[in-house]
Amino acid sequence: MKSLQQQWESYFGFVSLRTKLIVAFTLFILIPITGVGIYVYQSFEHEMTSQISKMTSDRLQQVNRNIERRLKELSNVSRSIVLDERMREMLQSPPKTSKEKLQFSHLVDKKYLEVTTSIASDSIYITLFDNSGNLYTNWNSYVTTKADIRQAPWYAATVKQNGFMVSAPCSRTTLSVRRVLI
């Protein structure tokens, strides 16, 4: 048996020292560094993907909690108005005299203040209709007409639910209006 050095020389004896150094450099330095780089990149990519997925999931859960909180808040606002006996009486049989109208106006303002300060965490726009078709609102700019509101698909559902909050598709301009309606 030939020694290892003799076998080596018989196979690579004709190769120059420069070529041997290039091959050794490639085998022992470039390939390991490239392998480590690929491994680190894949690990980093996997970690980033999982972190992005986790952040997205957390944000969606937060959005869901915010929507649930807001719907609960709107439902509480609706109940607060609908279950107030004096408000119901006044909306079912609207005031006739100026004095009654003034009293009802104060009652509505007081209820709006109560709702916006104690129940709602954000500003909320409320619009009420009485049985005579009079409109009571707490916002300055009225974006649609009474006829438009009465023709909206959610209006009939709200009337059917006796003023309690309902979910129905609506346009962007009537979104604020449908929150509480009696």
Side-chain angles (χ1 to χ4, degrees):
M1 294 234 133
K2 293 183 181 177
S3 71
L4 186 59
Q5 184 179 6
Q6 289 174 344
Q7 287 179 347
W8 177 263
E9 286 180 14
S10 67
Y11 290 122
F12 297 108
F14 60 90
V15 180
S16 69
L17 180 61
R18 179 175 170 249
T19 306
K20 290 177 186 175
L21 287 174
I22 290 173
V23 169
F25 177 78
T26 303
L27 286 175
F28 299 118
I29 296 178
L30 286 182
I31 292 176
I33 287 177
T34 304
V36 168
I38 290 171
Y39 174 75
V40 168
Y41 174 78
Q42 288 177 343
S43 297
F44 177 76
E45 181 182 32
H46 175 66
E47 185 64 28
M48 288 301 294
T49 302
S50 68
Q51 288 294 326
I52 289 171
S53 296
K54 184 182 180 313
M55 283 177 31
T56 303
S57 175
D58 290 347
R59 286 189 179 170
L60 287 174
Q61 287 175 356
Q62 183 62 43
V63 167
N64 188 38
R65 284 190 297 270
N66 289 346
I67 290 171
E68 286 176 359
R69 180 188 54 80
R70 188 66 172 171
L71 286 174
K72 209 177 273 186
E73 191 175 272
L74 292 174
S75 179
N76 290 339
V77 166
S78 176
R79 270 193 234 111
S80 171
I81 293 172
V82 170
L83 297 177
D84 186 326
E85 252 337 285
R86 289 182 20 199
M87 290 287 288
R88 285 186 74 81
E89 288 172 13
M90 295 292 251
L91 289 169
Q92 288 171 349
S93 54
K96 309 256 187 280
T97 66
S98 296
K99 183 179 177 183
E100 288 177 342
K101 288 179 183 177
L102 184 61
Q103 286 175 337
F104 185 59
S105 175
H106 287 302
L107 176 65
V108 169
D109 287 342
K110 191 175 173 182
K111 182 52 92 170
Y112 286 164
L113 183 63
E114 173 192 324
V115 164
T116 56
T117 57
S118 64
I119 298 175
S121 60
D122 297 325
S123 61
I124 187 168
Y125 301 113
I126 304 168
T127 300
L128 302 171
F129 282 98
D130 63 18
N131 284 348
S132 297
N134 296 318
L135 179 89
Y136 307 95
T137 187
N138 69 337
W139 48 327
N140 295 336
S141 61
Y142 191 68
V143 294
T144 188
T145 65
K146 291 181 206 177
D148 289 342
I149 290 175
R150 284 199 176 105
Q151 292 172 356
W154 54 265
Y155 182 80
T158 305
V159 170
K160 191 182 232 182
Q161 288 294 321
N162 215 5
F164 286 94
M165 193 169 122
V166 295
S167 296
C170 63
S171 68
R172 186 170 178 82
T173 57
T174 59
L175 181 61
S176 297
V177 177
R178 81 181 211 14
R179 290 183 178 162
V180 176
L181 178 69
I182 295 180

